[in-house]
Amino acid sequence: MGIAERKEREKGERERRIVSAARMLAERDGWASVTVRRLAQEIEYSQPVLYAHFENRDAIVGAVALEGFGELGPALRASVQPSATPSEAMKSVAIAYLEFAFERPALYEAMFILPTGLRFAKSDTPQVLRDTFGAMLAVITPFRDDAELATETLWAALHGLAELERHGRIRAAFREQRVTQIVAMFSA
Amino acid sequence: MGIAERKEREKGERERRIVSAARMLAERDGWASVTVRRLAQEIEYSQPVLYAHFENRDAIVGAVALEGFGELGPALRASVQPSATPSEAMKSVAIAYLEFAFERPALYEAMFILPTGLRFAKSDTPQVLRDTFGAMLAVITPFRDDAELATETLWAALHGLAELERHGRIRAAFREQRVTQIVAMFSA
DNA sequence: AAAAATATCTAGCAATGCTATTTTGTCAAT
DNA sequence: ATTGACAAAATAGCATTGCTAGATATTTTT
């Protein structure tokens, strides 16, 4: 039955092309430009084919978001030098988080802002999501007993910093100082 | 020249009806349901009339957002009891902020998430926005020299708490505890 | 009363997400 | 090789969107 396997392989391959086309277009022209028609054109298939892979447009955004989580966790971990002190580690993670948000805005949008149909903080939370959470948890644990709660709070603070700055609500020039404030508070 | 004035009055009145229809529909059915056609129907004028008042749909969202800022500032100030200690005051403001976000989700969305074309943290920032910022600044000043910076950071933290919870990224049941954490950190 | 300016509407464009229907391609059984 | 069943994919279309050009009605000015 190698035929069925080949077909499955081809379908998987096509799915990857859809997701990476979506990501590329979003990063280049913004999510509003990511239309099902344009994606179809990009992968050289007709429009309805995409609906054999994804229930709707939101699900495509969700697939890109998942890719993003697959990268954010490792990026946070990689930012920490082995020789770093606990509070240096926390600062590295915080800065890496914001860099991720600002350097891949479309990816970040898919992960945290756009409707995607993904589930979180529930029993069915995918492993990549737990991993990302874990990367932040790791640098907080040395400082706090309520590490899980504190991770949620730190995450929220970083997310807020990223979003308000992206929308021009707070002064971009003071980013570093705000991060310093936050980290100082959490590592006290 | 009472005629011109009457016309201006009528135009202003109509504009208010557009904005409040938009707000009502958004709060009831979500922003996706706020279409220019539906608004036109609501105010009993044809569609192009709305473009005599607002450049485009985003500008209507922006008008609702401005209304929101006009209410958020006072709501934050009103939450503080005259007898409150400085740290009680800060906690009241933080809780009032989150209540605002959760009880008027569509309004909050217009203010902080959707594209609106409004400008912030710039010289042309409208007074209502400065007022809202001022309400937070007031409760931070007793604790910090760098009050303006700290206000930005606190604001970001609260915004992040609201957004991550709204998207189901963090556990709703622990909202109170996260607020307590944040306030403790800023009033230390 | 006629002309000019203003206000408003009708009708339509191009684009969107999504889907019913038709066509094309693949493969096994004859 | 031919045929018929099944799966894959394309065409064509629906309903909806934001927005606008062009036609019509309504005031205001002359």
Side-chain angles (χ1 to χ4, degrees), chain A residues 111 113 120 144 146 149-150 152-153 156 160-161 164 167-171 174 177-178 181-182 185-186, chain B residues 111 113 120 144 146 149-150 152-153 156 160-161 164 167-169 171 174 177-178 181-182 185-186:
Chain A
M111 293 161 70
I113 293 149
F120 293 81
R144 310 201 135 253
D146 55 355
L149 190 74
E152 290 185 335
T153 309
L161 287 179
L164 289 191
H167 282 80
R169 258 68 165 177
I170 54 181
R171 301 162 295 170
F174 292 81
Q177 292 184 50
R178 288 186 297 261
Q181 255 184 3
I182 286 283
M185 287 173 174
F186 276 87
Chain B
M111 293 161 71
I113 294 148
F120 293 81
R144 312 203 134 252
D146 54 355
L149 190 73
E152 290 186 334
T153 309
L161 287 178
L164 289 190
H167 281 80
R169 258 65 166 179
R171 301 163 295 170
F174 292 81
Q177 294 184 49
R178 288 186 297 260
Q181 255 183 3
I182 287 285
M185 287 172 173
F186 277 85

Side-chain angles (χ1 to χ4, degrees), chain A residues 34-43 45-47 50-51:
Chain A
V34 181
T35 70
V36 180
R37 275 177 177 80
R38 219 183 310 262
L39 288 177
Q41 192 177 331
E42 206 72 32
I43 66 167
Y45 276 91
S46 74
Q47 220 187 335
L50 303 223
Y51 290 90

Side-chain angles (χ1 to χ4, degrees), chain B residues 17-55:
Chain B
R17 294 201 351 178
I18 294 170
V19 176
S20 79
R23 178 176 175 168
M24 185 268 277
L25 279 174
E27 220 57 273
R28 208 187 59 190
D29 305 324
W31 276 106
S33 301
V34 181
T35 69
V36 181
R37 274 177 178 80
R38 219 184 307 265
L39 288 177
Q41 191 177 331
E42 206 73 32
I43 67 167
E44 299 178 295
Y45 276 90
S46 74
Q47 219 185 336
V49 167
L50 302 224
Y51 291 90
H53 292 271
F54 299 97
E55 191 178 348

Side-chain angles (χ1 to χ4, degrees), chain B residues 77-89:
Chain B
R77 290 181 208 279
S79 74
V80 179
Q81 303 284 66
S83 60
T85 67
S87 75
E88 281 169 353

